[in-house]
Amino acid sequence: MNRGLILLLVGLLLLVPDSAFAIQDISAVTVKTNPDGSEEYSVTLQILAIMTALTFIPAMVIMMTSFTRIIVVLAILRQAIGLQQSPSNQILIGISLFLTFFIMSPVLNEINDKALQPYLDEQVTSMEALDRAKAPVKAFMLSQTRLTDLETFIDISGEENIAEPDDVPMSILIPSFITSELKTAFQIGFMIFIPFLIIDLVVASVLMAMGMMMLSPMIVSLPFKLMLFVLVDGWSLTMSTLAGSFGV
């Protein structure tokens, strides 16, 4: 039975005309010269470049937006309260991600209006759209970067042709921005940590005065820290502080 099926398939293939096996001429890469002398690559190559760039999106979201400061502060807050697994890492990352979208919405809207929509309407080339999209991101990063951190990385790189902050290339601006974000996040985390540390000290002193040396102060102080955090509306205060630190 199998032999008969094979013979039937071979016969059908012999009946198929040769033109059916002809490979269509598909130009995967074409280059078009624009009136201004610049070159525009084919859509196929652009899609390949976009798919390759998608692998860098997580790093861009983490290192070129407000995400770093937010997630570090929330992690310090969880540690200050004394909760090891609650909220979980997934919840903290989700909160940080959506708060990042909220803070970065003016930048994203500007990118959409000045770069994405003109590119989709074929009013600008892909390189022009990329330059337009880079401008608001660079402006945001410069506004949050300390001048001392910027000067440090400029000195390390040995660049001498930088007269103004706007002339700083992205290769120098990104590490400067990350350094400033970590410093600001630790400053905010320090201020958050102080009231919870005071509660721990008071509880530890009371337990020691009562002679209850075997009872862990962390277990006793945890309900008081949770109560304090709820009474002062801690989540709203933390979110507003983080948003306000970016000038939102």
Side-chain angles (χ1 to χ4, degrees), residues 2 40 69 93 134 145 154 172 202 238:
N2 293 334
E40 181 78 6
R69 184 187 304 184
I93 292 174
K134 184 172 66 175
T145 304
I154 291 176
I172 297 177
V202 171
T238 303

Side-chain angles (χ1 to χ4, degrees), residues 151-183:
E151 292 175 348
T152 299
F153 282 94
I154 291 176
D155 293 338
I156 295 174
S157 65
E159 290 284 345
E160 299 178 354
N161 300 324
I162 300 176
E164 298 179 357
D166 293 337
D167 300 331
V168 176
M170 295 296 287
S171 59
I172 297 177
L173 179 58
I174 292 176
S176 304
F177 171 75
I178 296 171
T179 305
S180 295
E181 287 295 284
L182 290 175
K183 184 176 181 179

Side-chain angles (χ1 to χ4, degrees), residues 27 38 41 69 88 150 152 214 219:
S27 56
S38 60
Y41 294 96
R69 184 187 304 184
S88 63
L150 202 58
T152 299
M214 303 300 295
I219 298 177

